[in-house]
Amino acid sequence: MIFNVAQLMKEPVGSGASYEDDIAEEQVQLDKDLTIVGPITGHARMRRVNQGLLIDGWVDLTLGLECARCLKHFEQPEHVTFEERFNPTVDVVTGTPLPPIEEDDVFPIDEHHQVDLTEAIRQAVLLAIPMVPLCKEDCAGLCAQCGHDLNLGPCDCKPEIDDRLNVLKQLLQNE
C-alpha cells in the first residue's frame, strides 16, 4: 500500500491537485493479533493541502475473529473508511530535510516521497472491530457448568440455584 507522491507534492496548494488509485493487496499482516482472510481491496484519494497531503478512502476485507460467547472462529467482512494527513520529511524540490512532525495524528511521507497507507489502514481496521465480536446476533454461547455449545441445543445440566435464595425457598415451604 505504498504510493509515490512526488509529482503531487510539486503541485501548488489550492490547485485542486489530486491523485486517485485502487488498493489491492493479496497477503497483508496489519497486526500480530489481527487475522485477515483473503485480499484487501479498496480505493484511496490523495489531495494536496497546505502542509502535505490529505488522504481518504476505504478498504474491504474479511477479518478472522473469535466469538465472545461460544468461542468459535468465524469470518466477518468489513468495509472500513479512513482519512489521514501525511506531511513530508524532505522538501520535494530541494531534497533538504524538514523539521520533524510534532503532531501525533499526522503520518510521514518518507525521504523517497512515498506514502505507506498500511499504518493508517491498520488503525482504522482496529477501530472498526466490534468490542464484543459475535458469530451471529443471537448466539446462545456456552453452558456455564459443562461448556456445551448451546447453539447446538440444550444441555442436560440442571440450573444452579443461588444459595442466597434458600431462605425464600424455606418461606414458601412454611406456608
Side-chain angles (χ1 to χ4, degrees), residues 110-172:
D110 72 9
E111 63 276 356
H112 303 292
H113 313 294
Q114 293 181 336
V115 169
D116 187 357
L117 298 180
T118 306
E119 179 61 19
I121 291 173
R122 183 190 77 83
Q123 290 181 15
V125 168
L126 288 175
L127 289 173
I129 295 174
M131 290 181 72
V132 181
L134 299 177
C135 60
K136 56 186 180 180
E137 210 172 297
D138 61 342
C139 178
L142 302 174
C143 172
Q145 294 175 345
C146 69
H148 175 73
D149 186 353
L150 298 174
N151 293 314
L152 303 175
C155 63
D156 297 329
C157 295
K158 294 182 181 178
E160 284 186 11
I161 299 174
D162 191 347
D163 291 335
R164 296 174 291 178
L165 298 177
N166 282 338
V167 175
L168 293 176
K169 185 177 177 183
Q170 289 175 359
L171 284 175
L172 291 173

Side-chain angles (χ1 to χ4, degrees), residues 5 66-67 99 101 135 153 157:
V5 294
E66 183 178 89
C67 181
I101 303 166
C135 60
C157 295

